[in-house]
């Protein structure tokens, strides 16, 4: 009886390994939503890493997160490194492409708790009153990534983070758009009616 159970466990494990190994060698996860602000306002919040604490879900994982910035303040070459607790780990982001009001592409390097190099991309499509934003993450799949993907865990976990980030980006962009409107109104000279 014990031999049959052991044989069944071996077959089950072998089948699981084969199933995981046949998963795709790369992954792509994306989420989209309309943002209630003009493309230039949304782009400015993504294109400058010092503005990410206003909306990025990853910034809230560790209240003691250590951040360092290098390169230009925004756009291509801007860099951001982080080091935090076991839930956020350590890594680095670098903007590799930026088209105002249209797109930001980021090289995303994870150092801890595991090493990986992925790509994050934001695509902005202006509408009449909103900006439709798609945030995606893609890269090569490790064995662990294939296992998570095979059971839908990666799509669910990363997808929820992207959704939360887009929701918070919408809130931050609305606030920035309102400030810009109020500032423009304050600078507009008010003409007194003619006598």
């Amino acid at each position: 009886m014990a031999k049959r159970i052991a044989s069944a466990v071996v077959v089950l494990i072998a089948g699981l390994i084969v199933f995981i190994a046949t998963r795709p060698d790369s992954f792509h996860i994306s989420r989209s939503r309309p943002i209630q602000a003009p493309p230039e306002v949304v782009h400015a919040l993504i294109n400058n890493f010092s503005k990410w604490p206003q909306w990025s879900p990853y910034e809230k994982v560790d209240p003691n997160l250590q951040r360092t910035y290098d390169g230009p303040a925004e756009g291509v070459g801007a860099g951001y490194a982080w080091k935090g607790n076991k839930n956020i780990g350590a890594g680095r982001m670098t903007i590799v492409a930026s088209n105002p009001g249209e797109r930001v592409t980021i090289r995303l390097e994870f150092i801890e708790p595991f090493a990986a190099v992925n790509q994050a991309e934001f695509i902005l499509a202006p509408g009449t009153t909103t900006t439709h934003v798609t945030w995606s993450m893609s890269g090569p799949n490790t064995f662990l990534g294939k296992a998570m993907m095979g059971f839908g865990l990666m799509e669910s976990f990363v997808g929820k983070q992207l959704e939360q980030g887009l929701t918070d980006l919408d809130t931050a962009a609305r606030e920035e758009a309102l400030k810009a409107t109020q500032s423009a109104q304050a600078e507009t000279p008010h003409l007194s009616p003619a006598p």
Side-chain angles (χ1 to χ4, degrees):
M1 181 69 170
K3 284 186 178 180
R4 285 184 183 174
I5 292 173
S7 295
V9 168
V10 168
V11 168
L12 185 62
I13 291 172
L16 187 59
I17 290 171
V18 169
F19 170 74
I20 292 170
T22 60
R23 299 301 89 203
D25 291 331
S26 62
F27 73 91
H28 181 88
I29 299 168
S30 70
R31 294 292 187 273
S32 300
R33 75 162 285 158
I35 305 291
Q36 304 292 321
E40 61 273 11
V41 171
V42 179
H43 186 268
L45 286 165
I46 299 167
N47 200 45
N48 184 330
F49 288 129
S50 68
K51 295 184 179 184
W52 280 48
Q54 295 179 54
W55 61 269
S56 172
Y58 304 106
E59 295 285 338
K60 299 172 180 72
V61 174
D62 179 3
N64 299 312
L65 187 67
Q66 298 171 20
R67 305 170 182 86
T68 55
Y69 304 97
D70 60 64
E74 60 185 36
V76 175
Y80 167 55
W82 77 89
K83 186 168 180 58
N85 61 25
K86 64 178 182 178
N87 296 320
I88 194 68
R92 175 175 174 73
M93 295 189 289
T94 307
I95 296 178
V96 294
S98 178
N99 301 85
E102 295 178 7
R103 178 185 308 257
V104 178
T105 306
I106 298 166
R107 176 183 166 88
L108 180 56
E109 301 171 69
F110 296 100
I111 300 166
E112 295 172 1
F114 55 86
V117 177
N118 296 326
Q119 177 176 288
E121 187 165 50
F122 296 84
I123 298 173
L124 286 61
T128 10
T129 58
T130 64
T131 302
H132 192 81
V133 179
T134 299
W135 183 5
S136 65
M137 188 181 296
S138 58
N141 244 345
T142 62
F143 185 79
L144 178 62
K146 288 182 178 186
M148 290 177 68
M149 190 178 190
F151 296 100
L153 299 175
M154 183 178 270
E155 175 71 32
S156 172
F157 180 70
V158 175
K160 283 180 183 173
Q161 292 174 328
L162 300 184
E163 288 167 13
Q164 184 60 57
L166 289 171
T167 297
D168 292 343
L169 180 61
D170 183 42
T171 301
R174 287 180 195 224
E175 290 171 3
E176 291 294 318
L178 181 60
K179 285 181 201 172
T181 302
Q182 290 171 342
S183 177
Q185 289 172 347
E187 290 174 9
T188 303
H190 297 285
L191 301 174
S192 300

